[in-house]
Amino acid sequence: MLRRTPSKEGNRVPQRRRTAVTTALIAVLAVAAAGCDGIEIEVPAGSLPAPVSIAPVPSASAGQPKYVCSTVYKILTEGAVRLAEHTANDDAAGLQRTFADMASQVTTAGEQSTDPAQRTAAGEIAAALTEGSRQTDPEAFLTGEFATIGQRLDGTCPE
């Protein structure tokens, strides 16, 4: 009985075929998308997960500036998603609670930093969030200072 030995290629698809299939798939998707002009899909604000997930480095690095940056940015990103839900529901009390919760989390994260400048920047962010939580119109803070609040930390984050 003769047995056929599989080639080194095995069952792999040749590179040219993969490229052709990928190109064809992109073309089909482009045509399908072109036919969808004018169609709008509404998605409730709280139904999607956070658009960015910044996972902090392992806990052994908890006091390191890079970890603190990741943690604070994660708090701000996840908080923004919760704020969007409260804004969609016209829930000023929810905005205030979320700002206060974010301030508490940022304070805790900032206190862990080994970098004095970073601790100061995190403290400033927490203070601004606390102030936003106390405003009678927290949406004004959301559309104003909150949009750039994370930039205070930028200069303290190592690459």
Side-chain angles (χ1 to χ4, degrees):
M1 178 176 352
L2 291 175
R3 285 191 168 176
R4 187 171 172 194
T5 309
S7 68
K8 288 183 182 179
E9 290 292 316
N11 290 329
R12 286 193 246 158
V13 178
Q15 179 65 32
R16 265 186 293 166
R17 185 180 293 168
R18 278 189 285 171
T19 303
V21 169
T22 303
T23 304
L25 182 60
I26 290 171
V28 168
L29 290 174
V31 169
C36 295
D37 285 345
I39 296 176
E40 291 186 28
I41 299 173
E42 286 193 32
V43 179
S47 67
L48 297 175
V52 175
S53 177
I54 302 172
V57 292
S59 61
S61 302
Q64 299 303 312
K66 190 171 188 174
Y67 176 86
V68 174
C69 283
S70 295
T71 302
V72 171
Y73 290 141
K74 181 178 181 193
I75 292 165
L76 294 175
T77 301
E78 290 176 350
V81 172
R82 292 191 327 237
L83 292 167
E85 185 175 342
H86 294 309
T87 301
N89 295 330
D90 201 25
D91 181 8
L95 289 171
Q96 291 170 325
R97 283 190 309 273
T98 301
F99 285 137
D101 181 47
M102 291 169 65
S104 173
Q105 292 178 40
V106 169
T107 298
T108 301
E111 288 172 348
Q112 295 177 9
S113 180
T114 58
D115 179 16
Q118 189 175 60
R119 280 196 305 271
T120 300
E124 290 173 1
I125 292 171
L129 289 166
T130 299
E131 181 62 33
S133 74
R134 294 178 180 155
Q135 290 186 4
T136 55
D137 182 15
E139 197 165 332
F141 175 75
L142 177 66
T143 57
E145 186 177 354
F146 182 75
T148 59
I149 200 166
Q151 293 176 358
R152 295 178 185 186
L153 196 62
D154 289 350
T156 67
C157 298
E159 302 227 2

